[in-house]
């Protein structure tokens, strides 16, 4: 798994001319960092007398963020795996009419599959942002800035993943299917932006 590499090795792989990891994997990694920051805030909250009345809720948020963090780690690899069939599809022969038709069909499916993974990243990160919002209201005040940083990482992950959706849907022949994916991505972008602005604004209001 890519995120089981040392950070420096992952960055080296990301820096190379190899097609993976790329923007999708980097987006998933950024989302995992956002979830991890949220877990840190939760861990700094649970067990403190001052936050006893919200301890159960914050502990539940922490546990859910752990699930989402691990999902984003998996999606880092899944994004790379989805790119391989797409790369092979571009290399299929197209000398005869049958070959052209076969290539078009394989490419269309590969483009769809390569759009689904970054969409999964977006959906997962949207939930991360939502949970960071809970921590912004109920988490430890000494770690409030980390809630804001986590929200920024998460939104960057979501916006980055959206670019991987759009670059693939643009090439799809089935425009109805493509627009369905685009609309879902656009909706997630809107939702996440509203939540992030509320979280980030709240953090700034309290720490400045």
């Amino acid at each position: 798994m890519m995120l089981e590499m040392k950070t420096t090795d992952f960055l080296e792989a990301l820096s190379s001319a190899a097609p993976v990891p790329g923007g999708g994997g980097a987006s998933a990694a950024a989302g995992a960092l956002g979830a991890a920051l949220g877990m840190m805030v939760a861990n700094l909250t649970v067990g403190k007398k001052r936050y006893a009345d919200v301890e159960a809720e914050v502990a539940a948020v922490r546990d859910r963020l752990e699930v989402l963090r691990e999902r984003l780690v998996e999606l880092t690899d899944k994004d790379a795996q989805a790119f391989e069939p797409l790369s092979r599809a571009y290399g299929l022969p197209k000398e005869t009419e049958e070959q052209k038709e076969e290539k078009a069909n394989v490419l269309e499916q590969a483009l769809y599959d390569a759009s689904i993974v970054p969409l999964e990243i977006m959906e997962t990160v949207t939930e991360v942002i939502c949970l960071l919002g809970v921590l912004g209201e109920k988490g430890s005040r000494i770690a409030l800035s980390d809630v804001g940083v986590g929200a920024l990482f998460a939104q960057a992950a979501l916006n980055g993943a959206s670019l991987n959706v759009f670059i693939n849907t643009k090439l799809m022949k089935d425009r109805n299917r493509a627009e369905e994916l685009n609309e879902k991505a656009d909706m997630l972008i809107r939702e996440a932006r509203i939540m992030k602005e509320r979280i980030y604004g709240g953090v700034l209001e309290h720490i400045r």
Side-chain angles (χ1 to χ4, degrees), residues 30-48:
L33 288 172
L37 280 167
M39 288 182 66
M40 182 188 76
V41 175
N43 281 321
L44 287 168
T45 307
V46 170
K48 301 296 190 297

Side-chain angles (χ1 to χ4, degrees), residues 2-36:
M2 289 188 185
L3 290 186
E4 289 185 356
M5 297 178 179
K6 290 194 304 183
T7 302
T8 50
D9 290 341
F10 179 74
L11 291 174
E12 194 65 32
L14 192 62
S15 304
S16 74
V20 293
S27 295
L33 288 172

Side-chain angles (χ1 to χ4, degrees), residues 76-122:
T76 304
D77 288 296
K78 195 173 177 182
D79 180 76
Q81 293 160 8
F83 181 79
E84 291 173 11
L86 181 58
S87 181
R88 287 197 301 270
Y90 280 118
L92 289 173
K94 52 178 182 178
E95 294 174 6
T96 67
E97 289 303 316
E98 285 185 356
Q99 287 176 338
K100 287 178 182 177
E101 184 177 352
E102 173 67 13
K103 180 173 183 174
N105 290 336
V106 172
L107 184 58
E108 184 74 4
Q109 186 60 47
L111 286 166
Y112 176 78
D113 293 341
S115 302
I116 289 298
V117 177
L119 202 56
E120 284 186 60
I121 294 171
M122 294 180 72

Side-chain angles (χ1 to χ4, degrees), residues 115-151:
S115 302
I116 289 298
V117 177
L119 202 56
E120 284 186 60
I121 294 171
M122 294 180 72
E123 290 169 340
T124 306
V125 170
T126 297
E127 187 175 352
V128 170
I129 297 173
C130 182
L131 294 173
L132 285 166
V134 176
L135 294 172
E137 295 174 3
K138 302 181 180 182
S140 172
R141 299 297 89 181
I142 65 170
L144 192 57
S145 62
D146 296 297
V147 173
V149 175

